[in-house]
Amino acid sequence: MLEASRQEGAPLVLRVAVVGSGPSGVYTAQELVRQTAVPGIRVHVLDRLPCPYGLVRYGVAPDHEKIKSLQGNLRTVLEDEHVSFLGDVEVGARGLTPAGLLELYHAVVYCVGASRDRRLGVPGEELRGSFSATEFVSWYSAHPDALRDGFGLDGPRAVVVGAGNVAVDVARLLVRRAAELTPTDVPQGALEALAASGVREVHMVARRGPGQAKFTTKELRELGALPDTRVLVDPAELALDPAYADPSALPAVNRRNVEVVRGWAADGSTAPRGIRLRFFLRPVEILGTDGRVTGVRFERTEPDGNGGVRGTGRYEEIAAGLVLRAVGYRGAPLPGLPFDAARGTVPHAAGRVLRGGAVSPGEYVAGWIKRGPTGVIGTNRPCAKETAAALLADAPALARRRIADDPVAELRALGHEPVPWTGWLAIERAEAALGGTLGRARVKIPDWAGLRAAAREA
């Protein structure tokens, strides 16, 4: 059934769906319900997964407890009386389309992130042992879609291509000892595989210099704090960076990064494991034998004088049994929504979705699918605030639309079985119990069947 249009003078009632329960989605919900101009607002936060928090749960490294504690702030929003969490609801599956959502809600905000990883575009990328860092992160974060094994951790050396925080995370996890990860919520299968890993050396390779690297200084310094691990840097490679000798003109973060790297170049320490930071090398081919990765061929680059690099025609090979590319994310098109393939985003104006250049009433975006995969978690706050402000400005017109009486009933009629907040709390209890049986703290459930079974206990 459809709700009747709002009567003149009656309180404004607005039902909004936020698709995605990561930081951008939760911050959008928070901005919507904190506005007193629409006291009758109700927000349903939908997620494809039975669990909330998006990349805070499935993208933050398990040894980054301080960042993971952000879940507590997100939890407060999802427990607001005007907000309802509905997990295990996938837009684009079982008849649930963007057009269909607009029959259930006055407005829909898409906060679906950037789920695809960027490719290197070089020969050999499909060899066994070549993966995206996204796949590796999903595995040690217990994402239910993740690979369960096959990462080839038996060899002594791995190569990570990239110079951002994700590259630093995966390099750090590759050399972490099992004892250091046991207190975290890393899934048991990943913990056992990492404990048995033969990897003793990780090359983290960037095509430009330390002055242009994208990692934050805090993440970078963590490499130097790893027990029994040395960080090695080649002074000759550093000397290729014009800013290395005098980084004073660089932005503050880049300047601090250079200073940290300079200290490692002068460090003569020895340890059983090592992380080698390599600069001015561009991958041109992933090498293999019998379909399996054996190494990577790089071309030496040099500054081109315009902030970029150019090839020199000199090459170097690094032997490795595992290659992880960490060169960024891209947004993925959602069937039924417009998509700018060049930018990997949904076209919009201040968060209002544009179809054919015109505003599409009731449709909005926030987060990475709005602006691209840039910024840190906190960057989502102003982004969400802008989108929420646009939606609330449109609220009087949106509230006049006729929508279904009970969206949850309509979702069930389409074959979805939404996991409510009580279902998520049941998953939390099951993960705590699993940790107890393993002699650990809370341990993540890594598969769909286990998560759904735990949610049903609610």
Side-chain angles (χ1 to χ4, degrees):
M1 295 178 62
L2 297 178
E3 289 184 345
S5 299
R6 186 171 67 96
Q7 299 298 313
E8 190 68 33
L12 186 63
V13 176
L14 195 69
R15 187 187 297 150
V16 180
V18 173
V19 182
S21 66
S24 63
V26 175
Y27 291 156
T28 299
Q30 183 179 42
E31 290 295 332
L32 291 171
V33 300
R34 75 184 350 167
Q35 302 295 327
T36 58
V38 189
I41 195 167
R42 296 294 182 272
V43 180
H44 285 180
V45 179
L46 314 181
D47 202 288
R48 186 177 74 87
L49 298 171
C51 310
Y53 310 138
L55 282 179
V56 177
R57 175 177 168 89
Y58 288 117
V60 174
D63 57 345
H64 273 175
E65 289 298 328
K66 184 174 182 180
I67 302 176
K68 289 172 72 68
S69 68
L70 177 63
Q71 292 182 23
N73 297 335
L74 304 181
R75 183 190 196 100
T76 300
V77 178
L78 293 173
E79 289 180 335
D80 186 282
E81 62 178 341
H82 298 98
V83 178
S84 298
F85 172 74
L86 298 175
D88 206 358
V89 176
E90 183 176 1
V91 179
R94 285 170 278 178
L96 186 58
T97 64
L101 273 176
L102 285 178
E103 295 179 0
L104 308 182
Y105 297 92
H106 295 109
V108 183
V109 186
Y110 293 93
C111 305
V112 292
S115 58
R116 289 184 177 175
D117 58 274
R118 293 184 182 274
R119 313 270 307 170
L120 297 175
V122 302
E125 203 162 359
E126 304 303 326
L127 290 169
R128 295 193 309 276
S130 168
F131 301 93
S132 71
T134 305
E135 292 172 302
F136 191 66
V137 170
S138 293
W139 171 67
Y140 68 60
S141 298
H143 194 292
D145 290 339
L147 300 170
R148 289 289 158 256
D149 52 37
F151 280 100
L153 299 177
D154 49 331
R157 187 180 296 110
V159 169
V160 178
V161 181
N165 283 346
V166 175
V168 173
D169 277 348
V170 297
R172 189 181 68 252
L173 265 291
L174 280 168
V175 299
R176 277 283 196 198
R177 296 177 301 184
E180 297 161 17
L181 292 173
T182 298
T184 74
D185 61 4
V186 67
Q188 187 68 15
L191 178 66
E192 292 171 358
L194 289 168
S197 170
V199 175
R200 292 295 177 268
E201 185 175 75
V202 178
H203 288 241
M204 192 170 75
V205 187
R207 63 186 178 89
R208 296 196 293 178
Q212 295 80 46
K214 299 298 184 182
F215 33 65
T216 59
T217 308
K218 179 180 180 298
E219 290 261 1
L220 185 62
R221 284 176 175 149
E222 288 179 351
L223 297 181
L226 291 169
D228 301 324
T229 303
R230 66 195 185 280
V231 182
L232 303 173
V233 186
D234 184 349
E237 290 182 347
L238 300 180
L240 294 173
D241 190 338
Y244 180 67
D246 180 12
S248 59
L250 293 173
V253 172
N254 302 77
R255 184 175 66 252
R256 289 194 294 267
N257 288 344
V258 169
E259 291 168 353
V260 171
V261 171
R262 180 184 285 122
W264 288 332
D267 185 2
S269 63
T270 60
R273 294 169 297 173
I275 296 176
R276 291 182 178 271
L277 302 188
R278 305 296 310 275
F279 297 100
F280 294 104
L281 290 171
R282 176 169 59 198
V284 294
E285 183 181 2
I286 298 177
L287 307 172
T289 301
D290 297 328
R292 177 80 196 181
V293 167
T294 59
V296 187
R297 190 175 193 231
F298 293 92
E299 181 182 17
R300 171 66 65 192
T301 62
E302 64 183 10
D304 64 4
N306 298 309
V309 293
R310 61 187 170 223
T312 64
R314 301 192 305 274
Y315 297 90
E316 174 182 337
E317 293 182 4
I318 300 176
L322 173 65
V323 178
L324 299 174
R325 63 180 183 274
V327 291
Y329 298 94
R330 280 187 58 80
L334 186 66
L337 273 186
F339 188 70
D340 183 336
R343 292 183 171 86
T345 59
V346 171
H348 71 94
R352 296 179 176 93
V353 171
L354 300 176
R355 291 182 179 271
V359 169
S360 178
E363 294 187 306
Y364 303 83
V365 285
W368 279 0
I369 199 63
K370 171 186 174 183
R371 67 181 192 274
T374 61
V376 295
I377 290 175
T379 311
N380 289 295
R381 281 196 179 276
C383 176
K385 187 173 184 178
E386 179 189 56
T387 295
L391 192 158
L392 292 169
D394 300 340
L398 296 173
R400 290 195 290 269
R401 292 184 50 252
R402 295 173 65 86
I403 60 173
D405 290 332
D406 186 349
V408 177
E410 296 294 333
L411 290 172
R412 291 195 174 110
L414 288 171
H416 299 267
E417 192 54 49
V419 172
W421 187 249
T422 53
W424 159 242
L425 297 180
I427 291 172
E428 282 192 316
R429 291 194 295 272
E431 292 184 337
L434 175 60
T437 64
L438 296 169
R440 300 173 55 197
R442 176 182 170 189
V443 173
K444 285 181 179 176
I445 297 171
D447 60 281
W448 282 99
L451 290 170
R452 286 168 172 159
R456 285 195 295 271
E457 293 299 315

